[in-house]
Amino acid sequence: WEQMLRAVHAIHEPPARVIHGDLKPMNFLSVRGALKLIDFGIAKTMLSDNPEMTKIARENTVGTVNYMSPEAISGGDDDGDGPPLLKQGRASDVWSLGCILYQMVYGQTPFARITGMIPKLHAITDPKHEIPMPPVANPHLTALIGACLERHPHRRITIAEILKHPFLRPAAAATPASKGSGGAEEPASPAQSGLSAQQLQGLLEQIQKHGAN
């Protein structure tokens, strides 16, 4: 998942400044042990590096519903002139990455349990709809998923912040209590260490095998 993050971060930053808009497991390929991001069919280029002006506008809802951000579904026209414009920014891709991480942890996307397109779209955009998040061994993991799946894009965590998050950087979050009596740090537990590259690759292959919709 960290390799996914870095791939998306690379297209968000200059010189590319691209919002993918359709992130899902099947759009990541493993090439010689590294993940590559593909399928830029609905991607759009941002016109500014300013974080306050990084949105793009679409006239139609496009993407894969189970990984689609609330703002990609709802949105609205700023001036009321012309067709409604669905505003998306970097945060929209972060939501999709959060859905992928949720699927890695719980075996399905956050809204996969909901049948019917209209109820699903409503649940994605409704802040009152609580996303089920059963506890796991590492509380930093559920905290990170929740930060990615914050419905308001301005309050959603950024990729730069994710890369510093305690789930990915457990050493940075270690407290003095985690040190042994001799002063040396104790080995990280499996929950703190995260999954190995081989385990992550296995999870990705399972998700791609069972489909991404």
Side-chain angles (χ1 to χ4, degrees):
W1 192 70
E2 184 172 350
Q3 287 192 23
M4 292 182 180
L5 285 173
R6 293 190 179 281
V8 177
H9 191 50
I11 67 168
H12 281 181
E13 298 303 306
R17 297 197 302 268
V18 167
I19 295 171
H20 190 280
D22 192 22
L23 295 176
K24 52 190 174 184
M26 67 185 299
N27 284 342
F28 291 91
L29 296 181
S30 179
V31 180
R32 297 181 180 177
L35 288 183
K36 304 294 183 182
L37 178 56
I38 64 168
D39 192 358
F40 288 79
I42 64 171
K44 282 205 171 185
T45 302
M46 297 176 283
L47 300 179
S48 170
D49 293 332
N50 187 336
E52 300 301 320
M53 301 176 61
T54 56
K55 292 183 176 61
I56 58 172
R58 302 184 191 279
E59 294 185 2
N60 301 298
T61 298
V62 289
T64 305
V65 173
N66 278 329
Y67 303 91
M68 195 180 295
S69 68
E71 63 270 23
I73 297 169
S74 54
D77 193 356
D78 290 338
D79 55 16
D81 184 20
L85 298 178
L86 304 173
K87 300 301 183 68
Q88 294 175 253
R90 293 181 176 99
S92 188
D93 281 345
V94 171
W95 173 281
S96 302
L97 287 165
C99 291
I100 293 172
L101 181 58
Y102 186 102
Q103 185 175 3
M104 287 177 167
V105 175
Y106 297 113
Q108 58 185 342
T109 52
F111 304 94
R113 303 171 182 84
I114 301 173
T115 57
M117 185 61 69
I118 299 302
K120 190 186 293 282
L121 294 175
H122 178 73
I124 293 172
T125 56
D126 183 7
K128 296 180 180 178
H129 178 90
E130 186 174 347
I131 299 172
M133 206 161 317
V136 296
N138 187 346
H140 292 309
L141 176 53
T142 49
L144 178 54
I145 295 174
C148 291
L149 300 183
E150 161 61 53
R151 282 184 171 84
H152 196 296
H154 293 303
R155 294 196 292 266
R156 201 171 299 152
I157 194 170
T158 66
I159 292 183
E161 292 168 338
I162 294 172
L163 291 170
K164 299 176 183 178
H165 194 275
F167 175 66
L168 294 179
R169 301 291 176 265
T175 63
S178 67
K179 296 178 181 293
S181 57
E185 292 190 9
E186 295 178 351
S189 66
Q192 292 174 316
S193 301
L195 298 174
S196 67
Q198 184 176 3
Q199 289 171 313
L200 285 171
Q201 177 61 30
L203 280 171
L204 181 62
E205 290 174 353
Q206 289 176 31
I207 293 172
Q208 290 178 327
K209 179 180 179 181
H210 293 294
N213 296 323

